[in-house]
Amino acid sequence: QRHDVDERRFGQLHAAAARRLFEMGARAVVFNLLFAEPRPGDGDLATVAADAGRPVVLAVDVSHEFRTPVDAAVRRLLVSQAADVPADHDGASWEGLVLPTPALLAQARHLGVQRTALDGDGRLRCLRAWHVVDGVPLPALVTAALNAIGERNPGGCETPLLRAHAGALRLVPMHELLAADGPRRLGGSIHGRTVFIGSPAVLDGQAMTPVGQIGGTSWQALAFEALHNGERLEPRRAWTDAAVVGL
């Protein structure tokens, strides 16, 4: 899901997009976007995020460049996101945390860390399933998406088997999704699926992967699909490039 939106209607449009997706039968909606600055329409998005029957995952970010004090209310929320964390998780520790706005945070049911880590050769292979901030484990965005639909938590550094064929992802501009005939044209490809919403391609950080260069949101969606289907490469080794199947 890619889009070009008016900043003045940022929250409102994203709320409308999530509602439209759920009307078309989406199983969950995952925002690979940081809603860290208050914008008009945040209240609409908060209402959508609060609906327990329609899972919405909001992104958070982590950093080593600054330290974020975590107050008691935020700590309780973070702990709630790690209720089923595996005992053997090997989450990376971070000092800084960038959260959604207070209005969104107050209604959020699912949070996930959008940051990914490159291997030593500069390629993105591994999904670090958990991160740790101030001693509290936080799920990666893909992990949070799996949690939102009631699936198992990956524990360590998972290497999803990415599918690079042309039909692996359908990228839909926001205006097509919200068009009057959107449900008729797109409904069949949305029903029962978990949909990731990210930035336009020019802003969606590109990463080199074993199947070529992929935008951040596309990688998150492909990694989710692979882990959802139980397609992972284990053990994780440098030769995993050769094992990736391109259809």
Side-chain angles (χ1 to χ4, degrees), residues 161-168 210-212 214 222 231 233 240-247:
L161 177 59
L162 302 184
R163 300 292 182 177
H165 58 87
V211 296
I214 298 178
L222 286 169
E231 298 172 331
L233 298 176
T240 53
D241 283 19
V244 172
V245 178
L247 301 179

Side-chain angles (χ1 to χ4, degrees), residues 183-203:
R184 177 182 60 80
R185 293 187 300 103
L186 303 172
S189 62
I190 299 298
H191 186 80
R193 299 185 70 86
T194 295
V195 181
F196 284 69
I197 298 181
S199 301
V202 68
L203 300 176

Side-chain angles (χ1 to χ4, degrees), residues 24 170 172 175-189:
M24 291 192 291
R170 180 166 186 179
V172 181
H175 71 272
E176 290 186 16
L177 172 64
L178 296 179
D181 62 347
R184 177 182 60 80
R185 293 187 300 103
L186 303 172
S189 62

